[in-house]
């Protein structure tokens, strides 16, 4: 039984560590959402290149000051526009540069609607609480394994760790939902030079929800281990109290010492069976009277 409890404790700690790793990785990256933006191609600058520069528009002549020449471009229709990739997270949003080499980043708070920034700050606060409570719960789970604590202190640590881990999971769920709301508001009401043409959730968003799932798994495992230990203690205490009551009655009856030793031996060798509502489960066989060997059919009683 102790080995099983040790395995449950190790499983809860593992879930907590995985959840914390996923959460930190998701918060520190900016790939919660990604997509494309449709923007007009800028005019090319500098001397003409040998290869055609598809990310900008170049006139037929490099002499822009000669008014006698007719300036025209070859791009028509959709060729005048460019699809830039972008990705956004809780703290930053990045978009491909004009020359399509690298990314230009800015704070996500700068693109959020001015009157809706409270949703984003609520997301940041909830995410901070999620990481803090998850870390504290993991530390308490590790501290519980220290052999210097008594069994009751370990149970208290296990209960607090399960409670803090479950509370951190709720904060994480609120944080993820608040970011989803803030991003939707930015897409609808944000600056025109940022609004995407198409977008979808990315791997950081999936990582955040995986962190929430493993966090709740850690809380459930820790709480299950705590409740199972409490049930075992109550069952053993009930058996001890029952044995002490029988001992007290036998001492009142002034039974000889060999009779008491025989009872202790029988109790020690008896297999441990869980009781249902305080009674031994029925085996489906009729009870037999030990004195006359006849079956007790009264009321269809079964052992």
């Amino acid at each position: 039984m102790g080995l099983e409890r040790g395995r449950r404790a190790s499983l809860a700690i593992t879930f907590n560590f995985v959840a914390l790793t996923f959460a930190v990785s998701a918060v520190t990256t900016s790939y919660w959402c990604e997509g494309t933006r449709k923007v007009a191609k800028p005019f090319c600058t500098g001397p003409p290149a040998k290869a055609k520069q598809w990310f900008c528009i170049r006139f037929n002549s490099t002499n822009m000051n000669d008014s006698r020449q007719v300036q025209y471009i070859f791009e028509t229709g959709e060729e005048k526009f460019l699809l830039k990739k972008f990705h956004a997270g809780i703290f930053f949003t990045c978009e491909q540069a004009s020359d399509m080499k690298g990314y230009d980043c800015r704070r996500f708070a700068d693109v959020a609607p001015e009157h809706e920034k409270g949703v984003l700050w609520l997301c940041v606060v909830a995410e901070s609480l999620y990481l803090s409570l998850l870390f504290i719960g993991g530390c308490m789970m590790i501290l519980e394994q220290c052999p210097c604590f008594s069994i009751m202190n370990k149970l208290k640590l296990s209960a607090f760790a399960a409670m803090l881990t479950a509370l951190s999971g709720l904060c994480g769920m609120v944080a993820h939902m608040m970011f989803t709301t803030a991003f939707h508001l930015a897409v609808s009401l944000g600056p025109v030079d940022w609004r995407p043409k198409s977008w979808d959730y990315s791997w950081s968003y999936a990582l955040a929800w995986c962190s929430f799932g493993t966090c709740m798994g850690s809380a459930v495992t820790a709480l299950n281990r705590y409740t199972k230990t409490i049930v075992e203690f109550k069952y053993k205490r009930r058996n001890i109290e029952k044995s002490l009551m029988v001992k007290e009655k036998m001492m009142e009856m002034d039974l000889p010492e060999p009779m008491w030793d025989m009872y202790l031996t029988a109790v020690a060798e008896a297999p441990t069976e869980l009781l249902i509502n305080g009674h031994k489960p029925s085996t489906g066989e009729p009870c037999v009277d030990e004195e006359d060997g006849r079956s007790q059919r009264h009321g269809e009683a079964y052992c």
Side-chain angles (χ1 to χ4, degrees):
M1 194 63 66
L3 180 60
E4 184 179 354
R5 283 197 292 267
R7 289 177 179 175
R8 288 177 179 270
S10 301
L11 184 61
I13 294 173
T14 302
F15 278 159
N16 186 282
F17 177 76
V18 172
L20 185 61
T21 303
F22 283 175
V24 172
S25 301
V27 171
T28 54
T29 55
S30 57
Y31 282 87
W32 287 60
C33 300
E34 61 181 355
T36 56
R37 287 190 59 245
K38 185 178 180 180
V39 297
K41 289 183 180 180
F43 292 112
C44 298
T45 57
K50 294 181 180 180
K52 182 180 179 181
Q53 295 174 312
W54 57 272
F55 53 84
C56 62
I57 297 176
R58 183 174 293 278
F59 288 96
N60 63 311
S61 175
T62 57
N63 189 4
M64 302 294 296
N65 297 324
D66 190 356
S67 59
R68 294 175 298 177
Q69 289 185 348
V70 178
Q71 304 290 342
Y72 59 90
I73 59 176
F74 297 97
E75 287 80 359
T76 60
E78 291 295 325
E79 295 179 351
K80 296 180 181 179
F81 297 95
L82 191 66
L83 291 178
K84 287 185 177 182
K85 295 181 179 180
F86 84 96
H87 52 83
I90 295 178
F91 298 104
F92 295 99
T93 175
C94 300
E95 181 182 325
Q96 281 184 314
S98 299
D99 57 356
M100 308 303 289
K101 295 179 181 178
Y103 284 83
D104 296 329
C105 298
R106 53 179 169 173
R107 295 193 311 161
F108 185 73
D110 295 338
V111 302
E114 193 67 29
H115 58 285
E116 298 291 348
K117 287 187 177 181
V119 179
L120 180 61
W121 293 121
L122 179 61
C123 168
V124 173
V125 171
E127 200 71 48
S128 301
L129 286 174
Y130 174 48
L131 294 175
S132 302
L133 293 175
L134 189 61
F135 177 76
I136 295 174
C139 290
M140 295 183 70
M141 291 180 188
I142 296 175
L143 193 62
E144 181 196 353
Q145 303 304 310
C146 182
C148 59
F149 292 103
S150 64
I151 295 180
M152 293 307 299
N153 289 334
K154 287 185 177 181
L155 284 177
K156 292 177 182 179
L157 284 173
S158 178
F160 277 112
M163 182 179 63
L164 288 177
T165 306
L167 185 61
S168 70
L170 295 178
C171 291
M173 181 181 66
V174 171
H176 303 160
M177 294 176 66
M178 288 299 100
F179 173 79
T180 305
T181 304
F183 187 81
H184 278 278
L185 291 173
V187 170
S188 303
L189 306 174
V192 179
D193 63 342
W194 180 86
R195 295 179 189 177
K197 177 184 178 182
S198 61
W199 64 274
D200 201 354
Y201 298 109
S202 189
W203 58 269
S204 292
Y205 190 78
L207 207 61
W209 281 109
C210 288
S211 172
F212 167 75
T214 50
C215 169
M216 298 308 293
S218 175
V220 170
T221 304
L223 187 61
N224 180 268
R225 184 165 56 90
Y226 168 77
T227 53
K228 187 173 182 180
T229 305
I230 290 296
V231 169
E232 289 177 1
F233 280 172
K234 289 184 177 180
Y235 179 72
K236 291 179 181 179
R237 186 180 65 179
R238 187 167 64 247
N239 286 344
I240 292 174
E241 291 176 352
K242 185 177 180 181
S243 301
L244 292 176
M245 290 176 61
V246 173
K247 178 181 178 181
E248 184 178 352
K249 290 182 179 180
M250 294 183 69
M251 292 179 66
E252 292 176 356
M253 295 172 61
D254 295 331
L255 293 177
E257 192 69 24
M259 182 68 70
W260 175 242
D261 294 338
M262 184 184 303
Y263 170 76
L264 287 179
T265 304
V267 171
E269 295 178 352
T272 303
E273 295 180 354
L274 293 175
L275 302 181
I276 300 177
N277 295 329
H279 301 283
K280 182 179 177 181
S282 174
T283 58
E285 299 178 358
C287 295
V288 179
D289 193 348
E290 295 181 355
E291 294 181 358
D292 55 4
R294 291 177 299 174
S295 298
Q296 295 179 353
R297 296 295 181 179
H298 307 289
E300 297 296 331
Y302 291 91
C303 293

